[in-house]
Amino acid sequence: MFNIIDKVWIIPALMAASFLVILFFGKRWGTRVTAGIGIASVSICLILSVVVAGNWINRVNNPPTGAALAAEIVQANGLTPQTGKTIGEEINAATKDSGETVATDSQSASGESHASEAGAYGGEHESVPPVVRTVTWFQIGGLQFEMGTLVDGLAAMMLITVCIISLLVHIYSTEYLRGDVRFTHYYAFLSLFTASMLFYVLSSNTLQMLVGWELVGVCSFGLIGHWWEEKKNTDAALKAFLTNRVGDIGLILGVIITFFAAGGSSFNVLHLNEYALSGNANTALLLIGALCLFGGVTSKSGQFPLHTWLPDAMAGPTPVSALIHAATMVVAGVYLIARLYGVFFSGLAIGSSTFHYVAFIGGFTTIIGGLLAFVQTDLKKVLAYSTISQLGYMVMALGVGAWTAGVFHLFTHAFFKACLFLGAGSVAHACHHSFDMREMGGLRKKMPVTHATFLVATLALAGIFPLAGFWSKDEILAGSANGQENAYTIMLIFGLITAFLTAAYMGRAYWMTFWGKYRGHAHPHESPKVITVPLIILAGCAVVLGFTNFPKSFFGFKLPGSFTTRFEHFVEPTFAFPAIQHAPFTPWLAIASTILAAGGLFVAYQYFEKNRGPHGLTSRSKIAHAGYTFLENKYYLDNLYTGVIAGSTTGPLARAANWFNQNIIDGVVNGIGNGARKIAGVVYVFADQIIIDGAVNGSGQGSEGAGQLLRKIQTGKVQQYASILFAGAVVLAGVLVFVV
Amino acid sequence: MFLNQFLLLAAILFCIGVYGVLARKNGVLVLMSIELILNSVNINLVAFGAYWHVNDMANVTGQVFALFVIAVAAAEVGVGLALVLLIYRNRQSINIDDVDMLKG
Amino acid sequence: MLALLVAQNIAFYIIAVMMVFGAIRVVTTKNVMHAALWLVLVLSGAAAQFILLAAEFVAITQVLVYLGAIIVLFLFGIMLTRAKTGTDDDLDNKKSAKFIGAGIGLALFGLMSYSLIDGFKDTEFGDLTVQRTAEVSDSIFSTYLLPFEVLSVLLLAALIGAIVIARRD
């Protein structure tokens, strides 16, 4: 029976086909058909993704066990037993802690029991192996490199997220980019991006993830620089791509190092995780591998210090920013950590530490992103720094061991951030494509739907009950408060501070944009339905999706078990996954974060709307002014990168390299050439002229000399000839007589 | 009579003829020495011919051969003297040492 | 028999000595005419040896051809080349050449005598029977016809050649 979960590669393939069709025929068939193809393809992919999710939910509810499991694995080559054990042993190892016994041949039987409470894997259901389908890509020296798909809850969740947001962006772009000079090109890139992101998400091994990673990077480059007629757009695109490249060094190193750390036999994600968790792996290598992989995450997911490209990437069209730089591409790094969590958990010893690099960077990023959002006048830049800050949250969550919290925040953040971005796009669409908040104001009356959705999304981002952000952010804070064995206190403090900051800067943006008097020059009006309907859908998601992970006990209120923590139940892996502690709902923390959020909004209201507070502080106080300038220059990081690092490379380093090249290397090469010439000269004079020619001439002269000698015999005198003749005859005769 | 007698006689004459060829400067005298050599060869031939004739009556090869040698010698002397004459006509001397224009 | 043999031997030795002496005189005399005359001695000695060897026809032919024609030819040659009568000192090569010649001659003689003595000692003639002219002519004109014809052509060639060479024109 055809099961889409078996053939899940169709989904990215469909988007890739859409890309090719648009690429080759889009210009000819016109913008309407192009948009239609794109939207149709994404819709089909969305439907298929929902089916896949349904299949997965089915699988979790009725996991294959015993003989069925063994048969399925053997038949579909689902798992790759690369840890040196047989398939049966692996299944046994995977399922024994849930109280099951598994038979590898068809003896099914007694002793099968489904433990439904906590096994050693912490998941509250029995181990459900993901659906892995691979083919051998190539073989080198006994190692098989595979290509395939891996579907589990995380992948299914990502599929749905990417498809929904991509669909909404496709629809949105028909209006936003109407009349654009490169409409079909844009849609082609959107399809390619969706295909790449889906490909990346479904990868079964790190090599494939590398391919998908790079592809989405390329699409990002292409889409940011969509209006490349203006130099600042191409600069932004290049900055994005090159900064990502710097991080990719780490990624590639990480892929290689983890390959070797896990025994050097396979790139398969499950194998890497299992090997890392089994304790056989070289811990030093694992740590280095995890940190290298995190290098890639730093650039792609906008962590400090490689976050500088994200704000500049706002030069691209707003739907692109919504799709790529809010919801999907930037979370590729977070997804990487989530997918290879075994490696990170073991390598960074998440379970037993209170402070490590990944968690710290995550936390630090949240704060610096939040601080920078205050000094922006461009609405999209505010949202960009907000994205950086929220990505920091996700990384921090994964860093403290709150896997589900981080991934759940990824899920909810995608929707409300996309809603915010599209709302900003709607606002700009009405304000002549200007995002400058100083020229906005009072738009709530003129654009009611946009205002409403923007408000909902802002409250969700700030983390106000009962919107989505509240649940996800609260889980992160609870996770850092409880930690695994020890609490990650510093991260908790970072998180709380950022909760306040988030609410504050979003409040600032909201009030500057939608309240007060309109300060611009355009005539804003509500955007057409094509723009507002996606906004409504996304805002609705922002409201509702928080309840998918309703905690088990909410201030004492308990829902039946089949309604709580559904997200965690279906998405968190149970196979090749470390045993992590799940922090329960912490009431005091929830209250504290809500107070902080509300406080932030209130402060923003007072400062920006009511104009209370220390306005003009920066012109009065030197310290404040210095601080403001520091923030305005984005901590001078751009200057560091461009001026110091790149500048010293292009300037002194390049000059030094040039000097080295011209004088030393060229000197050596020229010297060798000159030396060869001299040697050739010597060889010519000495060896060739004297020796060889001497030999040749000498042989000639020798012959001549011999000839000169011999010609003396030829005297012309008959008697001499006769005497020689007779003498010869005597000799010959003597020989004949005596010898022969 | 021993065969050897004749053969040795022929050998002596031959060697004297060789000496004469190498030692004499006058062309005619060289030719005479050549005649000596040829005669010694004739003696040799006839001696052997006689020796074999004793056993085989029909074998007169020695004589026949000697006759041929005589005829050839005659022809050779004729031509040789004609040459000497020519040389004398051109150079007024038959000093064969002077005839060395083929020297290399 | 013995007496006959003895007589033949004595005759042989006497004639042989004469011949050798004559030959030596041919190559050493300083008088060209004398050299020719000594040559006559040698040649006639050879004819006598032929008689001793019971080869009559060859002996007569030797006399006729050599003594009759070739010596005359030599004498004509001596005359036409205005050889100096009486002693002529300019007849021999220089001493070194003579030594070389002598050396070669002696070496040759040594070699030949060694091989002859080694090969033919004690080989005696038997009863020398006369080789009749008729047999000789039979042999020439049957077995050796071809060389005979060739020889005649050779003589013709020599004749024409000599005439052409010595022609005064």
Side-chain angles (χ1 to χ4, degrees), chain A residues 440-484:
Chain A
M440 300 178 192
L443 289 175
R444 78 176 192 288
K445 297 233 173 49
K446 303 200 173 72
M447 308 175 71
V449 179
T450 310
H451 165 251
T453 53
F454 198 90
L455 178 62
V456 168
T458 306
L459 292 176
L461 177 53
I464 305 294
F465 174 86
L467 299 171
F470 168 76
W471 305 103
S472 56
K473 194 176 296 188
D474 195 68
E475 267 196 59
I476 297 177
L477 293 173
S480 21
N482 290 330
Q484 293 295 304

Side-chain angles (χ1 to χ4, degrees), chain A residues 341-561:
Chain A
Y341 203 59
V343 172
F344 281 90
F345 198 83
S346 297
L348 296 164
I350 292 178
S352 52
S353 60
T354 57
F355 183 91
H356 58 82
Y357 183 72
V358 169
F360 173 72
I361 290 290
F364 192 66
T365 308
T366 58
I367 295 198
I368 60 160
L371 283 176
L372 282 176
F374 277 107
V375 301
Q376 304 301 322
T377 53
D378 184 324
L379 178 59
K380 275 177 74 174
K381 287 236 167 76
V382 173
L383 296 174
Y385 282 109
S386 167
T387 308
I388 292 178
S389 181
Q390 299 301 307
L391 287 169
Y393 254 122
M394 294 177 217
V395 169
M396 187 180 85
L398 289 171
V400 302
W403 192 95
T404 312
V407 173
F408 187 50
H409 194 62
L410 190 160
F411 183 57
T412 55
H413 169 267
F415 291 99
F416 53 74
K417 191 48 71 64
C419 181
L420 283 172
F421 265 106
L422 293 182
S426 166
V427 165
H429 196 61
C431 293
H432 285 183
H433 279 270
S434 154
F435 289 98
D436 196 335
M437 291 191 294
R438 297 171 294 197
E439 295 189 4
M440 300 178 192
L443 289 175
R444 78 176 192 288
K445 297 233 173 49
K446 303 200 173 72
M447 308 175 71
V449 179
T450 310
H451 165 251
T453 53
F454 198 90
L455 178 62
V456 168
T458 306
L459 292 176
L461 177 53
I464 305 294
F465 174 86
L467 299 171
F470 168 76
W471 305 103
S472 56
K473 194 176 296 188
D474 195 68
E475 267 196 59
I476 297 177
L477 293 173
S480 21
N482 290 330
Q484 293 295 304
E485 287 173 31
N486 310 305
Y488 285 85
T489 334
I490 302 179
M491 280 71 215
L492 174 64
I493 295 172
F494 280 155
L496 288 171
I497 295 175
T498 314
F500 176 77
L501 288 176
T502 311
Y505 66 67
M506 280 315 296
R508 164 178 181 265
Y510 170 72
W511 263 290
M512 278 180 84
T513 311
F514 289 100
W515 289 70
K517 254 175 72 77
Y518 182 61
R519 300 178 283 273
H521 305 290
H523 304 284
H525 54 84
E526 186 59 81
S527 309
K529 284 243 178 32
V530 179
I531 289 189
T532 52
V533 167
L535 288 174
I536 295 171
I537 295 176
L538 287 172
C541 289
V543 171
V544 164
L545 287 178
F547 295 104
T548 50
N549 206 32
F550 199 83
K552 292 205 173 47
S553 156
F554 180 69
F555 287 106
F557 175 70
K558 282 196 177 50
L559 282 178

Side-chain angles (χ1 to χ4, degrees), chain A residues 315-339:
Chain A
T318 312
V320 167
S321 305
L323 176 62
I324 297 186
H325 305 120
T328 43
M329 189 191 85
V330 291
V331 302
V334 180
Y335 179 84
L336 180 74
I337 304 181
R339 180 52 85 209

Side-chain angles (χ1 to χ4, degrees), chain A residues 212-245:
Chain A
W213 182 285
E214 301 292 345
L215 268 175
V216 296
V218 166
C219 293
S220 162
F221 170 79
L223 284 166
I224 296 173
H226 178 74
W227 294 310
W228 45 259
E229 286 85 358
E230 279 181 56
K231 186 158 193 301
K232 75 172 173 66
N233 297 336
T234 48
D235 284 347
L238 273 176
K239 184 174 179 181
F241 194 73
L242 292 174
T243 315
N244 271 301
R245 222 61 200 112

Side-chain angles (χ1 to χ4, degrees), chain B residues 4-15:
Chain B
N4 254 346
Q5 292 166 222
F6 289 94
L7 300 184
L8 279 170
L9 174 63
I12 294 172
L13 287 176
F14 186 89
C15 294

Side-chain angles (χ1 to χ4, degrees), chain A residues 69 73 150 378 384 406 470 487-488 497 602 713:
Chain A
L69 177 67
I73 288 167
L150 184 150
D378 184 324
F470 168 76
Y488 285 85
I497 295 175
F602 183 71
I713 298 180

Side-chain angles (χ1 to χ4, degrees), chain A residues 711-712 714-724 726, chain B residues 18 21-25 30 96-97 99-100 102-104:
Chain A
R711 79 194 254 269
K712 294 209 187 340
Q714 196 99 20
T715 52
K717 299 198 171 124
V718 177
Q719 272 170 332
Q720 283 200 3
Y721 296 163
S723 55
I724 293 174
F726 282 119
Chain B
V18 166
V21 166
L22 299 178
R24 287 302 213 181
K25 206 167 15 173
V30 169
I96 59 172
D97 263 352
V99 189
D100 60 355
L102 277 180
K103 71 179 170 203

